[in-house]
Amino acid sequence: MELTLDQALQKGVEAHKAGKVQEADRYYTAILKANPKHSDANHNMGVLAVGVGKVQEALPFFETALEANPSIAQFWLSYIDALIKLNRIEDAKIVLGQAKSKGAKGDGFDQVEKQLVSSVSKNSNIRAPSKEQFQSLVNLYTKGQYQEALNKGSKLLEQFPNSFNLYNIIGAANKGLGKLEAAIECYKKALSIKPDYAEAYSNMGLALQNQGKLEEAIEAYTDALAIRPDFAEAYNNMGNVLKDQGKLELAIEAFIKALSIKADSAEAYNNMGLALRDQGKVQQAIEAYIKALSIKPDFAEAYNSMGIALKDQGKLEEAIEAFKKALSIKPEYADAHHNLSTIKKYTVGDEQFLQVQELYKGEDLSEDDRCHLSFALAKMHEDIGELDQAFKYLSEGNSLCKKLLNYSIEQDEKLFKKLKEGQPKLAVRKIEIKEVSFGPKPIFILGMPRSGTTLVEQIISSHSEVTGAGELNHVYQFGANLALNQKDLTQIAVSEFRDRCLAELSKVSNGKSIVTDKMPHNFLFIPLICAAFPEAKIIHVQRNAAATCWSNYKKYFVSDFLGYCHDLKDVVDYYNLYRDLMKFWQSNYDKKIYNLNYEKLTTEQEKETRKLIKHLDLNWEKACLSPHKNTRSVGTASQLQVRQKVYKGSSKAWRKYEPFLKGVFDSLPSS
């Protein structure tokens, strides 16, 4: 039965009093949809907003309520209270005068007057811009006119040097312009004026996150939540940081918490989907994206996320439609253009090709967007045979990526040196076979990225006794500190590392006794793997050096671990560091490492596959010869190749670009 407006209001008030914020919001929203000027519903929506800390958003509701019915004293008191909470003392005094002139009476007004006197005395040096001045600044920011917002805000700051709200919005404008240090300084200034300013802590967390200072970002969000435990956005942002740290379960918990506070947060559903995808739970991720889109049908980012997940599943036509849908909503969406370019074949005159070319000419493009468009254009020009243009855009895109990641080969040179120094101590901290605890048996598939590790995992996980878990971050997450810091390296620490990794492997084993982890960079931690997992198998995949280096350079990577990929000299230097390190590991762990040649695997497929399966102590199964029929989701850069029959000529593909490489690969081994 359909409720009358009065009945809906009563239901909303009952839910409101019971603390059921979402339910109350639904009733009030329904009333306002039928009657946007409904005074009680507007007032109550304002009170709801204040209750969850969205004080600025409450003001228009109070204003509408007062326009509709200025005789209700509580409407005035709620409005004045919100202005005081925003520290807009002068505005609150003006509104109090207006209330009195309208004949509003009651003890509440006497108390408010005393509060205003106290606030003026306590904050005599704090003055804030008027509502109109501040709103015009907010409008500039929400339109993406960051420089204009910064200019206007800076001028207002001369007039109101102690306005914490001004510092917060100026900080946000600086962040929008990529000026992260300046943004952080603004947030700190806002907090020095108003120490309990949860929004400033949350915004500072975002800036720190963009700087890669993830632990500091977590601290900022924690501070925000200590002030406002019902701050859904801070939980959502914290979840994103935890996801970036590889702490996927904690990230999902944070997103669930955000959704328990704000059930209609499409952003939290989308972000939870991203974390689920990183866990390998692709179907659950898709369900989260569907939920996000049911709340926000024009959510381009969720369609883009959906496309990536469908691509993981090999559903390329559906993925293409998802990316196209994202672009129909947001035609300038560089990330979606790039993702679509990886699975679409282009011809001269293609509409999207022309669109991306126009977008690339834009002078106000962010460096990140320009990077995505560069890689898209490289793929498009390659498809139509214009290799000189393809190489040009590859060079531009990689140069931008290297700059954004602030990468230097020296950081990896130091890392490799330190790893070598730690090897002797790890060798004497190894766990004996008799001490091995129960858990799934791991197979570590490692080597340089783009060397064929994905294909090898597809082959092995085609076996009925094996689950392919993809690229897991657990060895690095739980063990990097052990491999690099000798003072922390004890027998107990190695055992704890083992137990934590096995616990995570058990979660993705699907009940099988053998699980593959194909994180290529685990080659860095072979001594730790050998110490902690004496029963594990280590498969080292080797591919033609030039083909490997070119394939890394050609792909768009954003991980700090892959910063070397964005410069041809860096990727060659890194390959040589890797080669030298593997020789060192081989001299100490020769019997533990199975070297698998990618080219031999593709040219002598059955022979090499049988040898591999035998080495793993598995019975032969014919399915291992048809890895392209393996239906598991693949989230790596090789996801398209492994959906096809094993291809024999991929290691020669780089040679068509040889005229543009200026001999940069000449120092690499030829085989």
PDB file of all heavy atoms in Angstrom, residues 302-332:
ATOM      1  N   ALA A 302      33.046   1.890 -12.893  1.00  0.00           N
ATOM      2  CA  ALA A 302      32.589   0.523 -12.619  1.00  0.00           C
ATOM      3  C   ALA A 302      32.491  -0.288 -13.912  1.00  0.00           C
ATOM      4  O   ALA A 302      32.800  -1.484 -13.929  1.00  0.00           O
ATOM      5  CB  ALA A 302      31.250   0.543 -11.892  1.00  0.00           C
ATOM      6  N   TYR A 303      32.044   0.341 -15.003  1.00  0.00           N
ATOM      7  CA  TYR A 303      32.033  -0.352 -16.301  1.00  0.00           C
ATOM      8  C   TYR A 303      33.455  -0.705 -16.733  1.00  0.00           C
ATOM      9  O   TYR A 303      33.707  -1.789 -17.277  1.00  0.00           O
ATOM     10  CB  TYR A 303      31.357   0.506 -17.367  1.00  0.00           C
ATOM     11  CG  TYR A 303      29.851   0.394 -17.375  1.00  0.00           C
ATOM     12  CD1 TYR A 303      29.049   1.471 -16.999  1.00  0.00           C
ATOM     13  CD2 TYR A 303      29.220  -0.796 -17.751  1.00  0.00           C
ATOM     14  CE1 TYR A 303      27.657   1.367 -16.995  1.00  0.00           C
ATOM     15  CE2 TYR A 303      27.834  -0.904 -17.749  1.00  0.00           C
ATOM     16  CZ  TYR A 303      27.065   0.174 -17.369  1.00  0.00           C
ATOM     17  OH  TYR A 303      25.693   0.056 -17.367  1.00  0.00           O
ATOM     18  N   ASN A 304      34.399   0.190 -16.503  1.00  0.00           N
ATOM     19  CA  ASN A 304      35.796  -0.081 -16.835  1.00  0.00           C
ATOM     20  C   ASN A 304      36.316  -1.264 -16.013  1.00  0.00           C
ATOM     21  O   ASN A 304      36.957  -2.175 -16.539  1.00  0.00           O
ATOM     22  CB  ASN A 304      36.641   1.165 -16.562  1.00  0.00           C
ATOM     23  CG  ASN A 304      38.084   1.005 -16.998  1.00  0.00           C
ATOM     24  OD1 ASN A 304      38.365   0.639 -18.129  1.00  0.00           O
ATOM     25  ND2 ASN A 304      39.006   1.271 -16.086  1.00  0.00           N
ATOM     26  N   SER A 305      36.016  -1.266 -14.714  1.00  0.00           N
ATOM     27  CA  SER A 305      36.419  -2.380 -13.843  1.00  0.00           C
ATOM     28  C   SER A 305      35.792  -3.684 -14.317  1.00  0.00           C
ATOM     29  O   SER A 305      36.435  -4.736 -14.338  1.00  0.00           O
ATOM     30  CB  SER A 305      35.987  -2.101 -12.400  1.00  0.00           C
ATOM     31  OG  SER A 305      36.562  -0.915 -11.910  1.00  0.00           O
ATOM     32  N   MET A 306      34.517  -3.611 -14.702  1.00  0.00           N
ATOM     33  CA  MET A 306      33.803  -4.784 -15.204  1.00  0.00           C
ATOM     34  C   MET A 306      34.493  -5.329 -16.460  1.00  0.00           C
ATOM     35  O   MET A 306      34.682  -6.541 -16.612  1.00  0.00           O
ATOM     36  CB  MET A 306      32.360  -4.411 -15.524  1.00  0.00           C
ATOM     37  CG  MET A 306      31.544  -5.539 -16.118  1.00  0.00           C
ATOM     38  SD  MET A 306      30.733  -6.528 -14.877  1.00  0.00           S
ATOM     39  CE  MET A 306      29.379  -5.457 -14.434  1.00  0.00           C
ATOM     40  N   GLY A 307      34.890  -4.430 -17.344  1.00  0.00           N
ATOM     41  CA  GLY A 307      35.572  -4.844 -18.567  1.00  0.00           C
ATOM     42  C   GLY A 307      36.851  -5.599 -18.279  1.00  0.00           C
ATOM     43  O   GLY A 307      37.152  -6.629 -18.903  1.00  0.00           O
ATOM     44  N   ILE A 308      37.619  -5.116 -17.317  1.00  0.00           N
ATOM     45  CA  ILE A 308      38.878  -5.770 -16.951  1.00  0.00           C
ATOM     46  C   ILE A 308      38.610  -7.177 -16.412  1.00  0.00           C
ATOM     47  O   ILE A 308      39.299  -8.144 -16.761  1.00  0.00           O
ATOM     48  CB  ILE A 308      39.643  -4.920 -15.911  1.00  0.00           C
ATOM     49  CG1 ILE A 308      40.092  -3.597 -16.539  1.00  0.00           C
ATOM     50  CG2 ILE A 308      40.858  -5.667 -15.381  1.00  0.00           C
ATOM     51  CD1 ILE A 308      40.596  -2.575 -15.539  1.00  0.00           C
ATOM     52  N   ALA A 309      37.592  -7.308 -15.562  1.00  0.00           N
ATOM     53  CA  ALA A 309      37.262  -8.611 -14.985  1.00  0.00           C
ATOM     54  C   ALA A 309      36.777  -9.591 -16.063  1.00  0.00           C
ATOM     55  O   ALA A 309      37.155 -10.769 -16.061  1.00  0.00           O
ATOM     56  CB  ALA A 309      36.199  -8.448 -13.901  1.00  0.00           C
ATOM     57  N   LEU A 310      35.955  -9.111 -16.973  1.00  0.00           N
ATOM     58  CA  LEU A 310      35.478  -9.974 -18.069  1.00  0.00           C
ATOM     59  C   LEU A 310      36.634 -10.394 -18.973  1.00  0.00           C
ATOM     60  O   LEU A 310      36.676 -11.525 -19.462  1.00  0.00           O
ATOM     61  CB  LEU A 310      34.408  -9.228 -18.875  1.00  0.00           C
ATOM     62  CG  LEU A 310      33.074  -9.026 -18.152  1.00  0.00           C
ATOM     63  CD1 LEU A 310      32.228  -7.973 -18.869  1.00  0.00           C
ATOM     64  CD2 LEU A 310      32.308 -10.347 -18.048  1.00  0.00           C
ATOM     65  N   LYS A 311      37.576  -9.483 -19.149  1.00  0.00           N
ATOM     66  CA  LYS A 311      38.781  -9.806 -19.918  1.00  0.00           C
ATOM     67  C   LYS A 311      39.574 -10.912 -19.221  1.00  0.00           C
ATOM     68  O   LYS A 311      40.081 -11.839 -19.862  1.00  0.00           O
ATOM     69  CB  LYS A 311      39.627  -8.545 -20.078  1.00  0.00           C
ATOM     70  CG  LYS A 311      40.888  -8.701 -20.906  1.00  0.00           C
ATOM     71  CD  LYS A 311      41.614  -7.364 -20.962  1.00  0.00           C
ATOM     72  CE  LYS A 311      43.004  -7.500 -21.548  1.00  0.00           C
ATOM     73  NZ  LYS A 311      43.780  -6.246 -21.441  1.00  0.00           N
ATOM     74  N   ASP A 312      39.662 -10.842 -17.890  1.00  0.00           N
ATOM     75  CA  ASP A 312      40.330 -11.897 -17.114  1.00  0.00           C
ATOM     76  C   ASP A 312      39.701 -13.259 -17.391  1.00  0.00           C
ATOM     77  O   ASP A 312      40.393 -14.282 -17.430  1.00  0.00           O
ATOM     78  CB  ASP A 312      40.208 -11.622 -15.607  1.00  0.00           C
ATOM     79  CG  ASP A 312      41.049 -10.449 -15.136  1.00  0.00           C
ATOM     80  OD1 ASP A 312      41.845  -9.934 -15.933  1.00  0.00           O
ATOM     81  OD2 ASP A 312      40.903 -10.051 -13.961  1.00  0.00           O
ATOM     82  N   GLN A 313      38.373 -13.265 -17.559  1.00  0.00           N
ATOM     83  CA  GLN A 313      37.651 -14.517 -17.780  1.00  0.00           C
ATOM     84  C   GLN A 313      37.693 -14.972 -19.240  1.00  0.00           C
ATOM     85  O   GLN A 313      37.156 -16.026 -19.578  1.00  0.00           O
ATOM     86  CB  GLN A 313      36.189 -14.363 -17.348  1.00  0.00           C
ATOM     87  CG  GLN A 313      36.003 -14.180 -15.850  1.00  0.00           C
ATOM     88  CD  GLN A 313      34.539 -14.082 -15.464  1.00  0.00           C
ATOM     89  OE1 GLN A 313      33.723 -13.507 -16.193  1.00  0.00           O
ATOM     90  NE2 GLN A 313      34.181 -14.634 -14.322  1.00  0.00           N
ATOM     91  N   GLY A 314      38.307 -14.165 -20.079  1.00  0.00           N
ATOM     92  CA  GLY A 314      38.365 -14.501 -21.497  1.00  0.00           C
ATOM     93  C   GLY A 314      37.105 -14.159 -22.258  1.00  0.00           C
ATOM     94  O   GLY A 314      36.949 -14.543 -23.427  1.00  0.00           O
ATOM     95  N   LYS A 315      36.193 -13.410 -21.631  1.00  0.00           N
ATOM     96  CA  LYS A 315      34.934 -13.003 -22.285  1.00  0.00           C
ATOM     97  C   LYS A 315      35.162 -11.671 -22.986  1.00  0.00           C
ATOM     98  O   LYS A 315      34.713 -10.607 -22.549  1.00  0.00           O
ATOM     99  CB  LYS A 315      33.820 -12.897 -21.245  1.00  0.00           C
ATOM    100  CG  LYS A 315      33.527 -14.224 -20.546  1.00  0.00           C
ATOM    101  CD  LYS A 315      32.488 -14.067 -19.447  1.00  0.00           C
ATOM    102  CE  LYS A 315      32.201 -15.392 -18.747  1.00  0.00           C
ATOM    103  NZ  LYS A 315      31.229 -15.238 -17.628  1.00  0.00           N
ATOM    104  N   LEU A 316      35.862 -11.740 -24.115  1.00  0.00           N
ATOM    105  CA  LEU A 316      36.368 -10.525 -24.746  1.00  0.00           C
ATOM    106  C   LEU A 316      35.273  -9.658 -25.354  1.00  0.00           C
ATOM    107  O   LEU A 316      35.340  -8.428 -25.283  1.00  0.00           O
ATOM    108  CB  LEU A 316      37.417 -10.895 -25.807  1.00  0.00           C
ATOM    109  CG  LEU A 316      38.641 -11.662 -25.282  1.00  0.00           C
ATOM    110  CD1 LEU A 316      39.682 -11.799 -26.373  1.00  0.00           C
ATOM    111  CD2 LEU A 316      39.241 -10.981 -24.059  1.00  0.00           C
ATOM    112  N   GLU A 317      34.265 -10.269 -25.954  1.00  0.00           N
ATOM    113  CA  GLU A 317      33.188  -9.470 -26.545  1.00  0.00           C
ATOM    114  C   GLU A 317      32.436  -8.694 -25.465  1.00  0.00           C
ATOM    115  O   GLU A 317      32.104  -7.519 -25.635  1.00  0.00           O
ATOM    116  CB  GLU A 317      32.220 -10.371 -27.329  1.00  0.00           C
ATOM    117  CG  GLU A 317      32.801 -10.941 -28.618  1.00  0.00           C
ATOM    118  CD  GLU A 317      33.300  -9.847 -29.564  1.00  0.00           C
ATOM    119  OE1 GLU A 317      32.610  -8.808 -29.701  1.00  0.00           O
ATOM    120  OE2 GLU A 317      34.379 -10.022 -30.146  1.00  0.00           O
ATOM    121  N   GLU A 318      32.181  -9.371 -24.343  1.00  0.00           N
ATOM    122  CA  GLU A 318      31.498  -8.699 -23.238  1.00  0.00           C
ATOM    123  C   GLU A 318      32.383  -7.606 -22.639  1.00  0.00           C
ATOM    124  O   GLU A 318      31.897  -6.541 -22.235  1.00  0.00           O
ATOM    125  CB  GLU A 318      31.118  -9.717 -22.162  1.00  0.00           C
ATOM    126  CG  GLU A 318      30.032 -10.694 -22.598  1.00  0.00           C
ATOM    127  CD  GLU A 318      29.743 -11.723 -21.521  1.00  0.00           C
ATOM    128  OE1 GLU A 318      29.494 -11.314 -20.371  1.00  0.00           O
ATOM    129  OE2 GLU A 318      29.781 -12.933 -21.829  1.00  0.00           O
ATOM    130  N   ALA A 319      33.689  -7.880 -22.594  1.00  0.00           N
ATOM    131  CA  ALA A 319      34.628  -6.879 -22.072  1.00  0.00           C
ATOM    132  C   ALA A 319      34.627  -5.638 -22.956  1.00  0.00           C
ATOM    133  O   ALA A 319      34.605  -4.497 -22.458  1.00  0.00           O
ATOM    134  CB  ALA A 319      36.032  -7.470 -21.988  1.00  0.00           C
ATOM    135  N   ILE A 320      34.643  -5.855 -24.260  1.00  0.00           N
ATOM    136  CA  ILE A 320      34.622  -4.730 -25.207  1.00  0.00           C
ATOM    137  C   ILE A 320      33.372  -3.879 -25.000  1.00  0.00           C
ATOM    138  O   ILE A 320      33.431  -2.641 -24.978  1.00  0.00           O
ATOM    139  CB  ILE A 320      34.706  -5.245 -26.661  1.00  0.00           C
ATOM    140  CG1 ILE A 320      36.125  -5.756 -26.956  1.00  0.00           C
ATOM    141  CG2 ILE A 320      34.309  -4.153 -27.660  1.00  0.00           C
ATOM    142  CD1 ILE A 320      36.270  -6.498 -28.267  1.00  0.00           C
ATOM    143  N   GLU A 321      32.227  -4.535 -24.813  1.00  0.00           N
ATOM    144  CA  GLU A 321      30.979  -3.797 -24.588  1.00  0.00           C
ATOM    145  C   GLU A 321      31.035  -2.978 -23.298  1.00  0.00           C
ATOM    146  O   GLU A 321      30.529  -1.860 -23.237  1.00  0.00           O
ATOM    147  CB  GLU A 321      29.793  -4.769 -24.550  1.00  0.00           C
ATOM    148  CG  GLU A 321      29.419  -5.332 -25.914  1.00  0.00           C
ATOM    149  CD  GLU A 321      29.207  -4.225 -26.956  1.00  0.00           C
ATOM    150  OE1 GLU A 321      28.424  -3.289 -26.671  1.00  0.00           O
ATOM    151  OE2 GLU A 321      29.828  -4.301 -28.024  1.00  0.00           O
ATOM    152  N   ALA A 322      31.658  -3.554 -22.264  1.00  0.00           N
ATOM    153  CA  ALA A 322      31.772  -2.834 -20.986  1.00  0.00           C
ATOM    154  C   ALA A 322      32.645  -1.588 -21.139  1.00  0.00           C
ATOM    155  O   ALA A 322      32.303  -0.506 -20.645  1.00  0.00           O
ATOM    156  CB  ALA A 322      32.342  -3.760 -19.915  1.00  0.00           C
ATOM    157  N   PHE A 323      33.782  -1.727 -21.843  1.00  0.00           N
ATOM    158  CA  PHE A 323      34.659  -0.568 -22.055  1.00  0.00           C
ATOM    159  C   PHE A 323      33.952   0.500 -22.907  1.00  0.00           C
ATOM    160  O   PHE A 323      34.065   1.701 -22.639  1.00  0.00           O
ATOM    161  CB  PHE A 323      35.965  -0.989 -22.724  1.00  0.00           C
ATOM    162  CG  PHE A 323      36.852  -1.849 -21.861  1.00  0.00           C
ATOM    163  CD1 PHE A 323      37.450  -2.996 -22.373  1.00  0.00           C
ATOM    164  CD2 PHE A 323      37.088  -1.513 -20.536  1.00  0.00           C
ATOM    165  CE1 PHE A 323      38.265  -3.788 -21.588  1.00  0.00           C
ATOM    166  CE2 PHE A 323      37.902  -2.303 -19.733  1.00  0.00           C
ATOM    167  CZ  PHE A 323      38.491  -3.449 -20.266  1.00  0.00           C
ATOM    168  N   LYS A 324      33.208   0.040 -23.916  1.00  0.00           N
ATOM    169  CA  LYS A 324      32.462   0.986 -24.760  1.00  0.00           C
ATOM    170  C   LYS A 324      31.398   1.723 -23.954  1.00  0.00           C
ATOM    171  O   LYS A 324      31.156   2.917 -24.175  1.00  0.00           O
ATOM    172  CB  LYS A 324      31.825   0.250 -25.944  1.00  0.00           C
ATOM    173  CG  LYS A 324      32.814  -0.135 -27.040  1.00  0.00           C
ATOM    174  CD  LYS A 324      32.099  -0.815 -28.197  1.00  0.00           C
ATOM    175  CE  LYS A 324      33.057  -1.109 -29.347  1.00  0.00           C
ATOM    176  NZ  LYS A 324      32.371  -1.805 -30.467  1.00  0.00           N
ATOM    177  N   LYS A 325      30.778   1.003 -23.035  1.00  0.00           N
ATOM    178  CA  LYS A 325      29.764   1.630 -22.189  1.00  0.00           C
ATOM    179  C   LYS A 325      30.407   2.706 -21.312  1.00  0.00           C
ATOM    180  O   LYS A 325      29.867   3.814 -21.156  1.00  0.00           O
ATOM    181  CB  LYS A 325      29.094   0.566 -21.314  1.00  0.00           C
ATOM    182  CG  LYS A 325      27.954   1.091 -20.452  1.00  0.00           C
ATOM    183  CD  LYS A 325      26.758   1.556 -21.266  1.00  0.00           C
ATOM    184  CE  LYS A 325      25.612   1.994 -20.389  1.00  0.00           C
ATOM    185  NZ  LYS A 325      24.473   2.526 -21.153  1.00  0.00           N
ATOM    186  N   ALA A 326      31.577   2.399 -20.756  1.00  0.00           N
ATOM    187  CA  ALA A 326      32.302   3.383 -19.945  1.00  0.00           C
ATOM    188  C   ALA A 326      32.603   4.631 -20.767  1.00  0.00           C
ATOM    189  O   ALA A 326      32.440   5.764 -20.295  1.00  0.00           O
ATOM    190  CB  ALA A 326      33.595   2.774 -19.415  1.00  0.00           C
ATOM    191  N   LEU A 327      33.002   4.430 -22.012  1.00  0.00           N
ATOM    192  CA  LEU A 327      33.367   5.557 -22.880  1.00  0.00           C
ATOM    193  C   LEU A 327      32.141   6.326 -23.374  1.00  0.00           C
ATOM    194  O   LEU A 327      32.243   7.518 -23.662  1.00  0.00           O
ATOM    195  CB  LEU A 327      34.200   5.054 -24.057  1.00  0.00           C
ATOM    196  CG  LEU A 327      35.604   4.572 -23.665  1.00  0.00           C
ATOM    197  CD1 LEU A 327      36.266   3.815 -24.815  1.00  0.00           C
ATOM    198  CD2 LEU A 327      36.480   5.749 -23.249  1.00  0.00           C
ATOM    199  N   SER A 328      31.001   5.655 -23.462  1.00  0.00           N
ATOM    200  CA  SER A 328      29.785   6.377 -23.858  1.00  0.00           C
ATOM    201  C   SER A 328      29.362   7.347 -22.755  1.00  0.00           C
ATOM    202  O   SER A 328      28.760   8.388 -23.017  1.00  0.00           O
ATOM    203  CB  SER A 328      28.654   5.391 -24.157  1.00  0.00           C
ATOM    204  OG  SER A 328      28.173   4.787 -22.966  1.00  0.00           O
ATOM    205  N   ILE A 329      29.688   6.994 -21.510  1.00  0.00           N
ATOM    206  CA  ILE A 329      29.375   7.854 -20.366  1.00  0.00           C
ATOM    207  C   ILE A 329      30.440   8.937 -20.207  1.00  0.00           C
ATOM    208  O   ILE A 329      30.142  10.094 -19.922  1.00  0.00           O
ATOM    209  CB  ILE A 329      29.285   7.009 -19.076  1.00  0.00           C
ATOM    210  CG1 ILE A 329      28.141   5.996 -19.177  1.00  0.00           C
ATOM    211  CG2 ILE A 329      29.115   7.904 -17.842  1.00  0.00           C
ATOM    212  CD1 ILE A 329      28.184   4.906 -18.128  1.00  0.00           C
ATOM    213  N   LYS A 330      31.681   8.544 -20.431  1.00  0.00           N
ATOM    214  CA  LYS A 330      32.820   9.432 -20.172  1.00  0.00           C
ATOM    215  C   LYS A 330      33.786   9.326 -21.365  1.00  0.00           C
ATOM    216  O   LYS A 330      34.770   8.599 -21.304  1.00  0.00           O
ATOM    217  CB  LYS A 330      33.488   9.003 -18.858  1.00  0.00           C
ATOM    218  CG  LYS A 330      34.485   9.967 -18.285  1.00  0.00           C
ATOM    219  CD  LYS A 330      34.950   9.431 -16.920  1.00  0.00           C
ATOM    220  CE  LYS A 330      36.050  10.274 -16.330  1.00  0.00           C
ATOM    221  NZ  LYS A 330      36.534   9.707 -15.035  1.00  0.00           N
ATOM    222  N   PRO A 331      33.514  10.034 -22.459  1.00  0.00           N
ATOM    223  CA  PRO A 331      34.298   9.872 -23.691  1.00  0.00           C
ATOM    224  C   PRO A 331      35.788  10.181 -23.536  1.00  0.00           C
ATOM    225  O   PRO A 331      36.606   9.695 -24.319  1.00  0.00           O
ATOM    226  CB  PRO A 331      33.642  10.871 -24.660  1.00  0.00           C
ATOM    227  CG  PRO A 331      32.282  11.100 -24.111  1.00  0.00           C
ATOM    228  CD  PRO A 331      32.411  10.997 -22.624  1.00  0.00           C
ATOM    229  N   GLU A 332      36.150  10.972 -22.526  1.00  0.00           N
ATOM    230  CA  GLU A 332      37.552  11.350 -22.341  1.00  0.00           C
ATOM    231  C   GLU A 332      38.292  10.391 -21.409  1.00  0.00           C
ATOM    232  O   GLU A 332      39.446  10.644 -21.027  1.00  0.00           O
ATOM    233  CB  GLU A 332      37.636  12.771 -21.770  1.00  0.00           C
ATOM    234  CG  GLU A 332      37.285  12.925 -20.298  1.00  0.00           C
ATOM    235  CD  GLU A 332      35.785  12.876 -19.994  1.00  0.00           C
ATOM    236  OE1 GLU A 332      34.986  12.640 -20.924  1.00  0.00           O
ATOM    237  OE2 GLU A 332      35.418  13.071 -18.816  1.00  0.00           O
TER     238      GLU A 332
END
